Amino acid sequence: MQKNQAIGIFDSGIGGLTVAKSLSEELPNEQFIYFGDTAHMPYGDKSSQEIIEYSKKIVEFLISKNVKLIVIACNSASSVAASVLRAQYFRQVEIIGVIRPIIKMCIEKHLKKIGIIATKATVESQIYLDIIKEYNADIDVYQKATPLLAPMIESGQQESEAFNHVLEDYLKDEQFRDKEAILLACTHYPIIKQEIDDFFNHKKIILDNAKPLANEIKKYLTEKNLLADIKTKPNEFYVSRYSEVFQKTTKTFYNQSIQIIEKKV
Ligand code: DGL
């Protein structure tokens, strides 16, 4: 691998942009190649087999773009597909998921009562519970599937009345009451972080995958001597189906108009 190769990132849609943005800030010299699988969004309601199949095609596309590392900027795919992808592609490329870094951060912060909101695929995989157990941590965890959130965010409905009702309905769950932190275990949710923080009257720590993951990736690239010295090429953005919301979201995130390329995989 060479320092000047790009970093590949993927998600089912705009969610991974929350991760990509944080990575760009932490690693300004890197070129990123982003793939949003908008044609198959939402991943959270799909079977593990389907998520694995979609993810493999994206990984192969990113490998064809000669990336030095692939970041699965999606909790659903990190939950059910990461180990399969690593086993299949370990000779070609390193693949990093979003889950372990955020859990490590919770452990380091000595959090004892955590509420998790995520897609159905992530919750059903039980991966957050399993990894937390690995650290032998005495943490009280309550996880709740909130399947309507990501598709509504992806279609740009987060400012609607209907969205507020859906969100409130999920968050008023009694089980969240005594939790000190709420973990946004879907990369779409940082887009509504403010609304979630408001709902809990700013009384809970709201955590998401982006920052701890960016730190982990910086550490990995530094250790492997793969940090780019200078940015030589612009980022590239691909989607499997053109989406107005995707276009708008990249503009908001990067403060400039971004060219989106439609690419079927
Ligand atoms: N952003 C994704 C996640 O972190 C996927 C949401 C979806 O497509 O259901 O789980």
Side-chain angles (χ1 to χ4, degrees), residues 134-153:
E134 257 181 48
Y135 287 93
N136 231 341
D138 173 26
I139 302 180
D140 167 15
V141 184
Y142 171 65
Q143 48 165 10
K144 185 179 180 77
T146 49
L148 293 175
L149 298 183
M152 289 182 94
I153 296 167

mmCIF file with all atom_site columns, all heavy atoms in Angstrom, residues 134-153:
data_model
loop_
_atom_site.group_PDB
_atom_site.id
_atom_site.type_symbol
_atom_site.label_atom_id
_atom_site.label_alt_id
_atom_site.label_comp_id
_atom_site.label_asym_id
_atom_site.label_entity_id
_atom_site.label_seq_id
_atom_site.pdbx_PDB_ins_code
_atom_site.Cartn_x
_atom_site.Cartn_y
_atom_site.Cartn_z
_atom_site.occupancy
_atom_site.B_iso_or_equiv
_atom_site.pdbx_formal_charge
_atom_site.auth_seq_id
_atom_site.auth_comp_id
_atom_site.auth_asym_id
_atom_site.auth_atom_id
_atom_site.pdbx_PDB_model_num
ATOM 1   N N   . GLU A 1 134 ? -17.043 -8.363 25.891 1.00 0.00 ? 134 GLU A N   1
ATOM 2   C CA  . GLU A 1 134 ? -15.622 -8.690 25.702 1.00 0.00 ? 134 GLU A CA  1
ATOM 3   C C   . GLU A 1 134 ? -14.717 -7.880 26.624 1.00 0.00 ? 134 GLU A C   1
ATOM 4   O O   . GLU A 1 134 ? -13.664 -8.318 27.028 1.00 0.00 ? 134 GLU A O   1
ATOM 5   C CB  . GLU A 1 134 ? -15.200 -8.297 24.284 1.00 0.00 ? 134 GLU A CB  1
ATOM 6   C CG  . GLU A 1 134 ? -15.086 -9.421 23.317 1.00 0.00 ? 134 GLU A CG  1
ATOM 7   C CD  . GLU A 1 134 ? -14.632 -8.866 21.973 1.00 0.00 ? 134 GLU A CD  1
ATOM 8   O OE1 . GLU A 1 134 ? -13.668 -8.084 21.915 1.00 0.00 ? 134 GLU A OE1 1
ATOM 9   O OE2 . GLU A 1 134 ? -15.299 -9.221 20.973 1.00 0.00 ? 134 GLU A OE2 1
ATOM 10  N N   . TYR A 1 135 ? -15.128 -6.631 26.881 1.00 0.00 ? 135 TYR A N   1
ATOM 11  C CA  . TYR A 1 135 ? -14.305 -5.761 27.730 1.00 0.00 ? 135 TYR A CA  1
ATOM 12  C C   . TYR A 1 135 ? -14.566 -6.032 29.211 1.00 0.00 ? 135 TYR A C   1
ATOM 13  O O   . TYR A 1 135 ? -14.047 -5.332 30.070 1.00 0.00 ? 135 TYR A O   1
ATOM 14  C CB  . TYR A 1 135 ? -14.560 -4.284 27.407 1.00 0.00 ? 135 TYR A CB  1
ATOM 15  C CG  . TYR A 1 135 ? -13.948 -3.876 26.091 1.00 0.00 ? 135 TYR A CG  1
ATOM 16  C CD1 . TYR A 1 135 ? -14.688 -3.912 24.921 1.00 0.00 ? 135 TYR A CD1 1
ATOM 17  C CD2 . TYR A 1 135 ? -12.612 -3.483 26.021 1.00 0.00 ? 135 TYR A CD2 1
ATOM 18  C CE1 . TYR A 1 135 ? -14.120 -3.567 23.706 1.00 0.00 ? 135 TYR A CE1 1
ATOM 19  C CE2 . TYR A 1 135 ? -12.039 -3.134 24.815 1.00 0.00 ? 135 TYR A CE2 1
ATOM 20  C CZ  . TYR A 1 135 ? -12.798 -3.177 23.659 1.00 0.00 ? 135 TYR A CZ  1
ATOM 21  O OH  . TYR A 1 135 ? -12.226 -2.841 22.470 1.00 0.00 ? 135 TYR A OH  1
ATOM 22  N N   . ASN A 1 136 ? -15.442 -7.011 29.448 1.00 0.00 ? 136 ASN A N   1
ATOM 23  C CA  . ASN A 1 136 ? -15.742 -7.391 30.810 1.00 0.00 ? 136 ASN A CA  1
ATOM 24  C C   . ASN A 1 136 ? -16.298 -6.239 31.631 1.00 0.00 ? 136 ASN A C   1
ATOM 25  O O   . ASN A 1 136 ? -16.091 -6.159 32.829 1.00 0.00 ? 136 ASN A O   1
ATOM 26  C CB  . ASN A 1 136 ? -14.440 -7.886 31.472 1.00 0.00 ? 136 ASN A CB  1
ATOM 27  C CG  . ASN A 1 136 ? -14.674 -9.227 32.103 1.00 0.00 ? 136 ASN A CG  1
ATOM 28  O OD1 . ASN A 1 136 ? -15.824 -9.592 32.343 1.00 0.00 ? 136 ASN A OD1 1
ATOM 29  N ND2 . ASN A 1 136 ? -13.605 -9.956 32.370 1.00 0.00 ? 136 ASN A ND2 1
ATOM 30  N N   . ALA A 1 137 ? -16.938 -5.339 30.957 1.00 0.00 ? 137 ALA A N   1
ATOM 31  C CA  . ALA A 1 137 ? -17.376 -4.120 31.634 1.00 0.00 ? 137 ALA A CA  1
ATOM 32  C C   . ALA A 1 137 ? -18.756 -4.325 32.259 1.00 0.00 ? 137 ALA A C   1
ATOM 33  O O   . ALA A 1 137 ? -19.622 -4.953 31.673 1.00 0.00 ? 137 ALA A O   1
ATOM 34  C CB  . ALA A 1 137 ? -17.439 -2.987 30.630 1.00 0.00 ? 137 ALA A CB  1
ATOM 35  N N   . ASP A 1 138 ? -18.890 -3.765 33.432 1.00 0.00 ? 138 ASP A N   1
ATOM 36  C CA  . ASP A 1 138 ? -20.163 -3.869 34.131 1.00 0.00 ? 138 ASP A CA  1
ATOM 37  C C   . ASP A 1 138 ? -21.027 -2.675 33.690 1.00 0.00 ? 138 ASP A C   1
ATOM 38  O O   . ASP A 1 138 ? -21.095 -1.648 34.360 1.00 0.00 ? 138 ASP A O   1
ATOM 39  C CB  . ASP A 1 138 ? -19.841 -3.841 35.636 1.00 0.00 ? 138 ASP A CB  1
ATOM 40  C CG  . ASP A 1 138 ? -21.090 -3.775 36.468 1.00 0.00 ? 138 ASP A CG  1
ATOM 41  O OD1 . ASP A 1 138 ? -22.150 -4.223 35.993 1.00 0.00 ? 138 ASP A OD1 1
ATOM 42  O OD2 . ASP A 1 138 ? -21.002 -3.256 37.601 1.00 0.00 ? 138 ASP A OD2 1
ATOM 43  N N   . ILE A 1 139 ? -21.633 -2.834 32.530 1.00 0.00 ? 139 ILE A N   1
ATOM 44  C CA  . ILE A 1 139 ? -22.416 -1.715 31.981 1.00 0.00 ? 139 ILE A CA  1
ATOM 45  C C   . ILE A 1 139 ? -23.855 -2.167 31.763 1.00 0.00 ? 139 ILE A C   1
ATOM 46  O O   . ILE A 1 139 ? -24.113 -3.246 31.238 1.00 0.00 ? 139 ILE A O   1
ATOM 47  C CB  . ILE A 1 139 ? -21.822 -1.234 30.628 1.00 0.00 ? 139 ILE A CB  1
ATOM 48  C CG1 . ILE A 1 139 ? -20.359 -0.814 30.801 1.00 0.00 ? 139 ILE A CG1 1
ATOM 49  C CG2 . ILE A 1 139 ? -22.644 -0.068 30.066 1.00 0.00 ? 139 ILE A CG2 1
ATOM 50  C CD1 . ILE A 1 139 ? -19.706 -0.332 29.525 1.00 0.00 ? 139 ILE A CD1 1
ATOM 51  N N   . ASP A 1 140 ? -24.763 -1.318 32.190 1.00 0.00 ? 140 ASP A N   1
ATOM 52  C CA  . ASP A 1 140 ? -26.186 -1.602 31.986 1.00 0.00 ? 140 ASP A CA  1
ATOM 53  C C   . ASP A 1 140 ? -26.566 -1.012 30.610 1.00 0.00 ? 140 ASP A C   1
ATOM 54  O O   . ASP A 1 140 ? -26.508 0.201  30.416 1.00 0.00 ? 140 ASP A O   1
ATOM 55  C CB  . ASP A 1 140 ? -26.938 -0.935 33.145 1.00 0.00 ? 140 ASP A CB  1
ATOM 56  C CG  . ASP A 1 140 ? -28.426 -0.860 32.916 1.00 0.00 ? 140 ASP A CG  1
ATOM 57  O OD1 . ASP A 1 140 ? -28.931 -1.557 32.016 1.00 0.00 ? 140 ASP A OD1 1
ATOM 58  O OD2 . ASP A 1 140 ? -29.085 -0.089 33.637 1.00 0.00 ? 140 ASP A OD2 1
ATOM 59  N N   . VAL A 1 141 ? -26.882 -1.903 29.679 1.00 0.00 ? 141 VAL A N   1
ATOM 60  C CA  . VAL A 1 141 ? -27.166 -1.437 28.309 1.00 0.00 ? 141 VAL A CA  1
ATOM 61  C C   . VAL A 1 141 ? -28.612 -1.738 27.932 1.00 0.00 ? 141 VAL A C   1
ATOM 62  O O   . VAL A 1 141 ? -29.105 -2.848 28.166 1.00 0.00 ? 141 VAL A O   1
ATOM 63  C CB  . VAL A 1 141 ? -26.251 -2.155 27.275 1.00 0.00 ? 141 VAL A CB  1
ATOM 64  C CG1 . VAL A 1 141 ? -26.478 -1.585 25.879 1.00 0.00 ? 141 VAL A CG1 1
ATOM 65  C CG2 . VAL A 1 141 ? -24.796 -2.049 27.656 1.00 0.00 ? 141 VAL A CG2 1
ATOM 66  N N   . TYR A 1 142 ? -29.260 -0.761 27.369 1.00 0.00 ? 142 TYR A N   1
ATOM 67  C CA  . TYR A 1 142 ? -30.597 -1.002 26.805 1.00 0.00 ? 142 TYR A CA  1
ATOM 68  C C   . TYR A 1 142 ? -30.547 -0.578 25.339 1.00 0.00 ? 142 TYR A C   1
ATOM 69  O O   . TYR A 1 142 ? -30.198 0.564  25.031 1.00 0.00 ? 142 TYR A O   1
ATOM 70  C CB  . TYR A 1 142 ? -31.648 -0.181 27.554 1.00 0.00 ? 142 TYR A CB  1
ATOM 71  C CG  . TYR A 1 142 ? -33.006 -0.238 26.872 1.00 0.00 ? 142 TYR A CG  1
ATOM 72  C CD1 . TYR A 1 142 ? -33.706 -1.445 26.782 1.00 0.00 ? 142 TYR A CD1 1
ATOM 73  C CD2 . TYR A 1 142 ? -33.564 0.900  26.296 1.00 0.00 ? 142 TYR A CD2 1
ATOM 74  C CE1 . TYR A 1 142 ? -34.934 -1.507 26.130 1.00 0.00 ? 142 TYR A CE1 1
ATOM 75  C CE2 . TYR A 1 142 ? -34.797 0.849  25.646 1.00 0.00 ? 142 TYR A CE2 1
ATOM 76  C CZ  . TYR A 1 142 ? -35.474 -0.362 25.577 1.00 0.00 ? 142 TYR A CZ  1
ATOM 77  O OH  . TYR A 1 142 ? -36.678 -0.429 24.926 1.00 0.00 ? 142 TYR A OH  1
ATOM 78  N N   . GLN A 1 143 ? -30.861 -1.498 24.432 1.00 0.00 ? 143 GLN A N   1
ATOM 79  C CA  . GLN A 1 143 ? -30.841 -1.104 23.018 1.00 0.00 ? 143 GLN A CA  1
ATOM 80  C C   . GLN A 1 143 ? -32.228 -1.169 22.413 1.00 0.00 ? 143 GLN A C   1
ATOM 81  O O   . GLN A 1 143 ? -33.009 -2.091 22.702 1.00 0.00 ? 143 GLN A O   1
ATOM 82  C CB  . GLN A 1 143 ? -29.825 -1.914 22.227 1.00 0.00 ? 143 GLN A CB  1
ATOM 83  C CG  . GLN A 1 143 ? -29.847 -3.420 22.428 1.00 0.00 ? 143 GLN A CG  1
ATOM 84  C CD  . GLN A 1 143 ? -29.064 -4.146 21.349 1.00 0.00 ? 143 GLN A CD  1
ATOM 85  O OE1 . GLN A 1 143 ? -28.348 -3.550 20.548 1.00 0.00 ? 143 GLN A OE1 1
ATOM 86  N NE2 . GLN A 1 143 ? -29.220 -5.463 21.302 1.00 0.00 ? 143 GLN A NE2 1
ATOM 87  N N   . LYS A 1 144 ? -32.520 -0.188 21.573 1.00 0.00 ? 144 LYS A N   1
ATOM 88  C CA  . LYS A 1 144 ? -33.846 -0.115 20.965 1.00 0.00 ? 144 LYS A CA  1
ATOM 89  C C   . LYS A 1 144 ? -33.709 0.089  19.455 1.00 0.00 ? 144 LYS A C   1
ATOM 90  O O   . LYS A 1 144 ? -32.955 0.956  19.001 1.00 0.00 ? 144 LYS A O   1
ATOM 91  C CB  . LYS A 1 144 ? -34.586 1.077  21.574 1.00 0.00 ? 144 LYS A CB  1
ATOM 92  C CG  . LYS A 1 144 ? -36.035 1.201  21.110 1.00 0.00 ? 144 LYS A CG  1
ATOM 93  C CD  . LYS A 1 144 ? -36.693 2.395  21.782 1.00 0.00 ? 144 LYS A CD  1
ATOM 94  C CE  . LYS A 1 144 ? -38.130 2.548  21.357 1.00 0.00 ? 144 LYS A CE  1
ATOM 95  N NZ  . LYS A 1 144 ? -39.047 1.602  22.013 1.00 0.00 ? 144 LYS A NZ  1
ATOM 96  N N   . ALA A 1 145 ? -34.467 -0.707 18.713 1.00 0.00 ? 145 ALA A N   1
ATOM 97  C CA  . ALA A 1 145 ? -34.480 -0.516 17.251 1.00 0.00 ? 145 ALA A CA  1
ATOM 98  C C   . ALA A 1 145 ? -35.383 0.667  16.926 1.00 0.00 ? 145 ALA A C   1
ATOM 99  O O   . ALA A 1 145 ? -36.491 0.781  17.457 1.00 0.00 ? 145 ALA A O   1
ATOM 100 C CB  . ALA A 1 145 ? -34.992 -1.780 16.576 1.00 0.00 ? 145 ALA A CB  1
ATOM 101 N N   . THR A 1 146 ? -34.887 1.556  16.095 1.00 0.00 ? 146 THR A N   1
ATOM 102 C CA  . THR A 1 146 ? -35.658 2.749  15.708 1.00 0.00 ? 146 THR A CA  1
ATOM 103 C C   . THR A 1 146 ? -35.693 2.797  14.168 1.00 0.00 ? 146 THR A C   1
ATOM 104 O O   . THR A 1 146 ? -35.119 3.696  13.546 1.00 0.00 ? 146 THR A O   1
ATOM 105 C CB  . THR A 1 146 ? -34.987 4.013  16.309 1.00 0.00 ? 146 THR A CB  1
ATOM 106 O OG1 . THR A 1 146 ? -33.584 3.982  16.017 1.00 0.00 ? 146 THR A OG1 1
ATOM 107 C CG2 . THR A 1 146 ? -35.143 4.072  17.814 1.00 0.00 ? 146 THR A CG2 1
ATOM 108 N N   . PRO A 1 147 ? -36.377 1.808  13.564 1.00 0.00 ? 147 PRO A N   1
ATOM 109 C CA  . PRO A 1 147 ? -36.229 1.576  12.115 1.00 0.00 ? 147 PRO A CA  1
ATOM 110 C C   . PRO A 1 147 ? -36.749 2.675  11.196 1.00 0.00 ? 147 PRO A C   1
ATOM 111 O O   . PRO A 1 147 ? -36.327 2.724  10.043 1.00 0.00 ? 147 PRO A O   1
ATOM 112 C CB  . PRO A 1 147 ? -37.005 0.267  11.887 1.00 0.00 ? 147 PRO A CB  1
ATOM 113 C CG  . PRO A 1 147 ? -37.925 0.144  13.043 1.00 0.00 ? 147 PRO A CG  1
ATOM 114 C CD  . PRO A 1 147 ? -37.238 0.793  14.208 1.00 0.00 ? 147 PRO A CD  1
ATOM 115 N N   . LEU A 1 148 ? -37.620 3.540  11.712 1.00 0.00 ? 148 LEU A N   1
ATOM 116 C CA  . LEU A 1 148 ? -38.156 4.557  10.782 1.00 0.00 ? 148 LEU A CA  1
ATOM 117 C C   . LEU A 1 148 ? -37.218 5.750  10.605 1.00 0.00 ? 148 LEU A C   1
ATOM 118 O O   . LEU A 1 148 ? -37.346 6.517  9.654  1.00 0.00 ? 148 LEU A O   1
ATOM 119 C CB  . LEU A 1 148 ? -39.518 5.064  11.282 1.00 0.00 ? 148 LEU A CB  1
ATOM 120 C CG  . LEU A 1 148 ? -40.657 4.044  11.268 1.00 0.00 ? 148 LEU A CG  1
ATOM 121 C CD1 . LEU A 1 148 ? -41.912 4.640  11.903 1.00 0.00 ? 148 LEU A CD1 1
ATOM 122 C CD2 . LEU A 1 148 ? -40.967 3.609  9.836  1.00 0.00 ? 148 LEU A CD2 1
ATOM 123 N N   . LEU A 1 149 ? -36.292 5.914  11.543 1.00 0.00 ? 149 LEU A N   1
ATOM 124 C CA  . LEU A 1 149 ? -35.486 7.144  11.517 1.00 0.00 ? 149 LEU A CA  1
ATOM 125 C C   . LEU A 1 149 ? -34.603 7.280  10.272 1.00 0.00 ? 149 LEU A C   1
ATOM 126 O O   . LEU A 1 149 ? -34.649 8.309  9.590  1.00 0.00 ? 149 LEU A O   1
ATOM 127 C CB  . LEU A 1 149 ? -34.623 7.257  12.776 1.00 0.00 ? 149 LEU A CB  1
ATOM 128 C CG  . LEU A 1 149 ? -35.368 7.348  14.115 1.00 0.00 ? 149 LEU A CG  1
ATOM 129 C CD1 . LEU A 1 149 ? -34.372 7.538  15.259 1.00 0.00 ? 149 LEU A CD1 1
ATOM 130 C CD2 . LEU A 1 149 ? -36.394 8.471  14.113 1.00 0.00 ? 149 LEU A CD2 1
ATOM 131 N N   . ALA A 1 150 ? -33.793 6.249  9.980  1.00 0.00 ? 150 ALA A N   1
ATOM 132 C CA  . ALA A 1 150 ? -32.836 6.391  8.860  1.00 0.00 ? 150 ALA A CA  1
ATOM 133 C C   . ALA A 1 150 ? -33.547 6.642  7.524  1.00 0.00 ? 150 ALA A C   1
ATOM 134 O O   . ALA A 1 150 ? -33.172 7.573  6.800  1.00 0.00 ? 150 ALA A O   1
ATOM 135 C CB  . ALA A 1 150 ? -31.895 5.192  8.792  1.00 0.00 ? 150 ALA A CB  1
ATOM 136 N N   . PRO A 1 151 ? -34.599 5.860  7.173  1.00 0.00 ? 151 PRO A N   1
ATOM 137 C CA  . PRO A 1 151 ? -35.258 6.151  5.891  1.00 0.00 ? 151 PRO A CA  1
ATOM 138 C C   . PRO A 1 151 ? -35.873 7.552  5.837  1.00 0.00 ? 151 PRO A C   1
ATOM 139 O O   . PRO A 1 151 ? -35.864 8.191  4.786  1.00 0.00 ? 151 PRO A O   1
ATOM 140 C CB  . PRO A 1 151 ? -36.352 5.074  5.796  1.00 0.00 ? 151 PRO A CB  1
ATOM 141 C CG  . PRO A 1 151 ? -35.947 4.005  6.740  1.00 0.00 ? 151 PRO A CG  1
ATOM 142 C CD  . PRO A 1 151 ? -35.129 4.647  7.806  1.00 0.00 ? 151 PRO A CD  1
ATOM 143 N N   . MET A 1 152 ? -36.395 8.022  6.980  1.00 0.00 ? 152 MET A N   1
ATOM 144 C CA  . MET A 1 152 ? -36.984 9.373  6.976  1.00 0.00 ? 152 MET A CA  1
ATOM 145 C C   . MET A 1 152 ? -35.898 10.447 6.819  1.00 0.00 ? 152 MET A C   1
ATOM 146 O O   . MET A 1 152 ? -36.076 11.429 6.114  1.00 0.00 ? 152 MET A O   1
ATOM 147 C CB  . MET A 1 152 ? -37.825 9.609  8.240  1.00 0.00 ? 152 MET A CB  1
ATOM 148 C CG  . MET A 1 152 ? -39.118 8.807  8.241  1.00 0.00 ? 152 MET A CG  1
ATOM 149 S SD  . MET A 1 152 ? -40.151 9.096  9.692  1.00 0.00 ? 152 MET A SD  1
ATOM 150 C CE  . MET A 1 152 ? -41.255 10.378 9.082  1.00 0.00 ? 152 MET A CE  1
ATOM 151 N N   . ILE A 1 153 ? -34.766 10.236 7.472  1.00 0.00 ? 153 ILE A N   1
ATOM 152 C CA  . ILE A 1 153 ? -33.649 11.191 7.333  1.00 0.00 ? 153 ILE A CA  1
ATOM 153 C C   . ILE A 1 153 ? -33.136 11.152 5.890  1.00 0.00 ? 153 ILE A C   1
ATOM 154 O O   . ILE A 1 153 ? -32.876 12.184 5.271  1.00 0.00 ? 153 ILE A O   1
ATOM 155 C CB  . ILE A 1 153 ? -32.512 10.865 8.338  1.00 0.00 ? 153 ILE A CB  1
ATOM 156 C CG1 . ILE A 1 153 ? -33.003 11.032 9.773  1.00 0.00 ? 153 ILE A CG1 1
ATOM 157 C CG2 . ILE A 1 153 ? -31.290 11.747 8.075  1.00 0.00 ? 153 ILE A CG2 1
ATOM 158 C CD1 . ILE A 1 153 ? -32.071 10.450 10.833 1.00 0.00 ? 153 ILE A CD1 1
#
